[in-house]
């Protein structure tokens, strides 16, 4: 298994169609109506991110509950105040000591594999030192 990971996953519109069950036409309609941010990049280099996928899944869930698109858009505009509420993310849980876990949200932290390993190693050392100092004081 590789220790490195891609911070930002890139999806083609075909990937979004496969993952959401929505049609290309529907996805483009949502972009046109302002429910979904347009793709990153341009023309053949255009791609969608995990944020696009999350938003499409949210729109799909609400649409399936017969929530009008106008209300979905209004709710999305309100969520902009606190964009982390209801956000789906990929996280790593790294044990750094007995009962201690470092949780890293890859999309928010933007830490690459080697940087993450170095950070975790430093935290492990801090935990060891704290534990050793605590045992000296007992």
């Amino acid at each position: 298994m590789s220790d490195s990971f891609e911070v930002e996953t890139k999806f083609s519109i075909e990937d979004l169609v496969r993952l959401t069950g929505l049609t290309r036409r529907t996805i483009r309609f949502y972009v046109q109506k302002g429910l979904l941010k347009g793709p990153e990049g341009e023309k053949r280099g255009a791609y969608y991110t995990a944020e696009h996928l999350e938003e499409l899944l949210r729109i799909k869930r609400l649409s399936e509950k017969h929530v009008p698109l106008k209300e979905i858009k209004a709710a999305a505009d309100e969520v902009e105040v606190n964009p982390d509420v209801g956000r789906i993310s990929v996280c790593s849980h790294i044990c750094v000591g007995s009962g201690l876990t470092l949780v890293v949200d890859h999309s928010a932290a933007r830490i690459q594999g080697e940087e993450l390993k170095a950070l975790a190693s430093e935290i492990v050392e801090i935990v060891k030192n704290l534990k050793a100092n605590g045992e000296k004081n007992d």
Side-chain angles (χ1 to χ4, degrees):
M1 188 169 106
S2 173
D3 288 330
S4 64
F5 56 88
E6 177 103 8
V7 173
E8 184 175 290
T9 304
K10 296 179 180 180
F11 299 102
S12 67
I13 194 163
E14 289 79 17
D15 293 331
L16 293 181
V17 166
R18 185 175 39 81
L19 292 167
T20 64
L22 299 170
T23 65
R24 292 170 65 122
R25 184 175 181 178
T26 299
I27 293 169
R28 289 189 173 125
F29 175 76
Y30 290 160
V31 170
Q32 178 187 7
K33 292 296 181 185
L35 287 154
L36 181 69
K37 184 174 71 162
E40 305 292 326
E42 294 184 25
K43 301 193 181 197
R44 290 187 179 262
Y47 63 92
Y48 296 86
T49 66
E51 290 177 22
H52 289 100
L53 176 59
E54 293 164 14
E55 186 62 16
L56 280 172
L57 292 172
R58 185 185 75 80
I59 293 167
K60 182 178 178 182
R61 260 192 329 272
L62 292 171
S63 293
E64 288 172 346
K65 292 180 181 181
H66 307 290
V67 177
L69 293 181
K70 190 182 286 186
E71 288 180 28
I72 293 173
K73 182 166 179 5
D77 292 342
E78 288 177 21
V79 171
E80 289 297 320
V81 174
N82 189 353
D84 287 337
V85 173
R87 185 172 64 85
I88 300 168
S89 62
V90 177
C91 297
S92 291
H93 295 250
I94 303 166
C95 179
V96 292
S98 181
L100 296 171
T101 303
L102 170 64
V103 179
V104 179
D105 179 334
H106 297 291
S107 63
R110 303 225 185 266
I111 297 176
Q112 295 292 333
E114 291 304 314
E115 292 172 312
L116 181 57
K117 282 169 85 175
L119 174 64
S121 294
E122 288 183 36
I123 294 172
V124 166
E125 287 304 312
I126 291 169
V127 170
K128 284 180 185 176
N129 290 337
L130 288 172
K131 186 175 181 183
N133 288 338
E135 289 174 356
K136 286 180 190 175
N137 293 332
D138 286 342

